Amino acid sequence: MTVKKVRKIIHVDMDAFYASVEQRDNPSLLGKAVAVGYDGKRGVVATASYEARKHGIHSAMPTSVAKRLYPDIIFIAPRFDVYRSVSKQIRSIFAEYTDIIEPVSLDEAYLDVTVNKHRIPSAWTVAQRIRDKIFLVTGLTASAGVSYNKFLAKSASDMRKPNGQYLITPDKSEAFIRTLPIAQFHGIGPATTEKMLQLGIKTGSDLRNWSREDLHSKFGKLGYWYFDIAHGEDDRPVQANRERKSFSAETTFLDDISDQVQAENSIRSLANEVWEWMDRDKVYGRTVTVKIKWADFEQSTRSLTEKVPLVAREDFQNTALTLVNSVFPIERKIRLLGVGVSNFHSPQPSATDQLELGI
Ligand code: DCP
Ligand code: MG
């Protein structure tokens, strides 16, 4: 018999990340309802401070809606360079404990601390120390989830937000999953949630009533994944230095749109977001893809591959705009727009790589 070793996984996620950075750097914003985003007519909220969330304001909400909900909301333009530098700081704190770090975004990462550099047996203690150090170094709070796989660690990190941590041990996972509403399952998106609700699947408990095969027949290959997570199983390793194959961003409109200018504005801001991601990692792609989900849920994509990687923000945006414009005039309304980039150039080996190779 083989005994499967229980892993110790931590998911760390900064609290109201961009907004907290802005409040830290401008104390007059402390305790106030703050939204980070461009205050344009067509802008969207990147994130909102917890004070703003009390008024119902959240990420991806159009600026106009946020203002209607709470006219005193303070809009702050994002400062990506500052967020990137905080991100570097927290990653170097993670690295004090383990080299098995998988960043998910600037403010979020999975850590495998089964074996950690300080030989601390308790992952709970490691999470506490990491959060303390993050606060000491950056003045910002983080929340953490601790468990034996990525799915549960990620779910756990939402449970004690802000500035808290939560543990799911193997003997507690079934009870945790049973009470979890379907909409809160990470990896089950809004469309699938809708479909599950129609099938009467409202919670983890309901999901657990379905067999592997039945879930497969309803949801295809992903059905197997849903079955596994419903039973607390997720073997995905924490992948350090995971190589990015693509970046993308998308937005679903509150009301379906048909206006070309509105589509262009949305594509411009999505392209901007994707470009920021590329620029962060200094990997630039050659293929730009625009995804369009129509009001009837049908989907179209348009792609264009350039000869050279799109390094300049404007070139990247213009390519995406050309693609979206190619579908106009339209006969159906648009429900969702997305911009993606792939086909990254392979970076030249850097001087340090060459040193390590002994060249
Ligand atoms: N972000 C964004 N657009 C989104 C979602 C997020 O630009 N639709 C940015 C702003 C967030 C950051 O990414 O500050 C991190 O995203 P999170 O989902 O972790 O949200 P927050 O850290 O802001 O809040 P929470 O405390 O809920 O984690
Ligand atoms: Mg966060």
Side-chain angles (χ1 to χ4, degrees):
M1 196 181 96
T2 52
V3 180
K4 229 160 112 188
K5 194 168 170 5
V6 174
R7 294 180 295 157
K8 298 174 187 176
I9 313 289
I10 300 176
H11 178 259
V12 182
D13 188 327
M14 302 295 287
D15 301 320
F17 183 45
Y18 297 0
S20 304
V21 171
E22 297 308 329
Q23 289 180 316
R24 176 195 70 177
D25 293 349
N26 180 355
S28 73
L29 299 175
L30 284 170
K32 302 240 172 84
V34 173
V36 176
Y38 294 107
D39 187 8
K41 218 172 155 210
R42 309 273 184 196
V44 291
V45 174
T47 196
S49 67
Y50 277 81
E51 294 84 355
R53 292 182 197 193
K54 284 188 206 138
H55 300 282
I57 297 167
H58 57 74
S59 293
M61 176 180 274
T63 306
S64 52
V65 177
K67 284 186 171 165
R68 206 179 315 138
L69 283 174
Y70 188 66
D72 286 341
I73 184 87
I74 303 169
F75 263 88
I76 309 282
R79 295 180 300 151
F80 292 106
D81 50 336
V82 183
Y83 313 143
R84 272 193 287 269
S85 77
V86 174
S87 188
K88 261 197 195 148
Q89 288 178 303
I90 65 173
R91 283 182 199 173
S92 71
I93 294 167
F94 301 153
E96 292 171 17
Y97 291 87
T98 178
D99 289 328
I100 313 175
I101 303 166
E102 180 180 328
V104 182
S105 66
L106 288 183
D107 88 321
E108 192 186 325
Y110 291 101
L111 318 176
D112 187 325
V113 298
T114 316
V115 181
N116 59 77
K117 295 181 183 177
H118 299 282
R119 296 176 189 273
I120 301 168
S122 154
W124 176 264
T125 305
V126 176
Q128 186 71 58
R129 290 200 190 168
I130 287 175
R131 291 178 43 244
D132 288 348
K133 183 84 185 267
I134 288 177
F135 187 70
L136 192 74
V137 172
T138 69
L140 300 165
T141 62
S143 296
V146 181
S147 196
Y148 56 94
N149 65 40
K150 283 163 76 171
F151 170 73
L152 290 169
K154 168 106 184 167
S155 306
S157 72
D158 286 337
M159 299 303 292
R160 290 292 178 265
K161 255 185 178 304
N163 198 18
Q165 60 183 56
Y166 190 79
L167 171 72
I168 303 173
T169 50
D171 58 327
K172 294 280 182 341
S173 66
E174 182 178 336
F176 176 86
I177 291 164
R178 279 190 181 280
T179 55
L180 199 63
I182 280 303
Q184 281 179 35
F185 270 71
H186 287 287
I188 299 186
T192 307
T193 298
E194 201 46 51
K195 190 167 164 187
M196 287 197 178
L197 290 175
Q198 274 165 22
L199 292 167
I201 307 173
K202 296 191 211 72
T203 63
S205 236
D206 300 331
L207 189 56
R208 287 172 70 104
N209 287 333
W210 284 65
S211 70
R212 253 176 88 80
E213 280 324 309
D214 286 346
L215 285 173
H216 179 237
S217 70
K218 286 278 181 220
F219 298 100
K221 243 175 104 184
L222 280 173
Y224 293 137
W225 165 246
Y226 302 148
F227 180 86
D228 287 345
I229 58 179
H231 292 82
E233 278 177 30
D234 172 9
D235 286 337
R236 290 172 305 160
V238 176
Q239 278 180 292
N241 307 317
R242 188 176 56 166
E243 209 187 304
R244 276 264 179 193
K245 292 251 186 322
S246 66
F247 289 120
S248 64
E250 58 184 48
T251 188
T252 304
F253 300 105
L254 286 184
D255 297 309
D256 298 344
I257 65 159
S258 54
D259 180 37
Q260 190 164 355
V261 174
Q262 201 175 348
E264 282 187 7
N265 277 315
S266 159
I267 288 291
R268 203 174 283 118
S269 90
L270 290 167
N272 193 41
E273 197 179 313
V274 171
W275 186 86
E276 293 282 351
W277 283 108
M278 289 196 291
D279 197 50
R280 181 196 70 159
D281 289 358
K282 300 287 173 230
V283 287
Y284 301 94
R286 290 197 298 125
T287 303
V288 183
T289 304
V290 164
K291 172 168 125 184
I292 299 144
K293 201 184 266 176
W294 304 98
D296 57 11
F297 283 87
E298 236 189 273
Q299 195 170 300
S300 312
T301 55
R302 295 283 180 279
S303 292
L304 211 126
T305 301
E306 303 281 359
K307 285 203 182 63
V308 290
L310 289 149
V311 175
R313 187 195 300 255
E314 217 184 327
D315 294 344
F316 183 70
Q317 282 180 327
N318 286 338
T319 305
L321 285 171
T322 307
L323 289 169
V324 79
N325 284 330
S326 72
V327 303
F328 279 87
I330 55 175
E331 279 158 9
R332 295 173 280 186
K333 287 193 164 189
I334 297 172
R335 176 182 162 78
L336 168 152
L337 282 173
V339 172
V341 64
S342 54
N343 225 335
F344 297 120
H345 69 114
S346 26
Q348 296 298 314
S350 68
T352 43
D353 289 342
Q354 294 189 9
L355 281 177
E356 272 165 15
L357 290 169
I359 297 170

